Amino acid sequence: GDDLDEHNEDVDLTLSVTAGAATAAGQTAHETTITDNDELPTVTLSITDAATLAEDGAAATADITATLSAISGRGVTVALVFDGTALKGTDYTCPDYIIIPKGSKTATITLTTLEDSLVEGTEGFTIDIDTIEYGTEDGEQQVDGAIVDDEVATVAFVLNTSVPVETDADFV
C-alpha cells in the first residue's frame, strides 16, 4: 500500500506461455481494479505578503495559498467565494480557483488591487473556500484583508456675500 490519494487503477494480467513450457489451461487473461483507500488531503488557506493593501496608484498584491495536508496523486481544485465591502472586479481582481497540481503540496494565486478615483475609506475582503475537488476543508478556512483607499475628500466652502443697496424708492 501507499499513502498517496489517487484515482482507482485498472490492471490487466495476461498469462503467456514460453516455448517448451506446459500450456495454460483455462483463463489466461484477467482484469482487475486496485481501489484507492487513502484519505483525501485536507486544505488550508493562507494570505501572504500584506493582508492590508494600499490603493496608492500602483497595483498592490497579496498571495493566497492553498496547502494540502499531504501530496496527492490527483490535481486538487479549490473553488473560492469572495465577500466584504471591497468588491471583486471593482476594487480588486483575483482568480476564482486555486489548482494544486498532482504531486504538489501547495499552489498560489495573486489578488491585485484596482485603482479608482472614488473616496471610499478602508474596505475589507474575505475569501472563503466554496468547494474542493479531491480534497476536504480543514475546518472553516478563510482569509481576510483590507484595501486602504488613497483618495481624500475635499470640502470647499464658498462664502457668498451680498450687500443690500438702499434707494429712495424703497421708502414710502
Side-chain angles (χ1 to χ4, degrees):
D2 62 35
D3 294 328
L4 187 66
D5 176 56
E6 55 199 347
H7 295 285
N8 293 339
E9 299 168 297
D10 293 327
V11 178
D12 293 323
L13 302 171
T14 303
L15 179 64
S16 41
V17 178
T18 59
T23 59
Q27 186 174 3
T28 59
H30 184 73
E31 183 179 301
T32 190
T33 299
I34 300 172
T35 304
D36 184 62
N37 64 352
D38 298 309
E39 295 290 324
L40 293 173
T42 59
V43 178
T44 57
L45 279 184
S46 61
I47 187 168
T48 56
D49 296 336
T52 301
L53 307 168
E55 179 190 282
D56 59 1
T61 62
D63 290 335
I64 314 302
T65 301
T67 303
L68 298 178
S69 59
I71 291 174
S72 179
R74 308 187 250 199
V76 176
T77 301
V78 181
L80 304 171
V81 291
F82 303 85
D83 196 14
T85 54
L87 301 176
K88 183 175 182 259
T90 301
D91 297 306
Y92 63 90
T93 62
C94 190
D96 292 328
Y97 300 93
I98 302 175
I99 300 171
I100 305 169
K102 69 178 183 177
S104 296
K105 196 166 180 182
T106 65
T108 300
I109 59 172
T110 300
L111 179 144
T112 304
T113 61
L114 297 172
E115 177 63 31
D116 61 28
S117 59
L118 302 174
V119 178
E120 303 166 299
T122 299
E123 297 179 293
F125 61 85
T126 299
I127 303 172
D128 284 301
I129 292 178
D130 186 26
T131 60
I132 303 171
E133 182 179 35
Y134 303 125
T136 61
E137 190 171 357
D138 186 5
E140 183 178 341
Q141 294 295 309
Q142 72 178 33
V143 294
D144 300 302
I147 300 172
V148 179
D149 194 22
D150 64 340
E151 280 76 35
V152 177
T154 304
V155 178
F157 292 98
V158 177
L159 181 59
N160 187 2
T161 60
S162 63
V163 177
V165 177
E166 291 183 33
T167 63
D168 287 339
D170 291 337
F171 296 101
V172 179

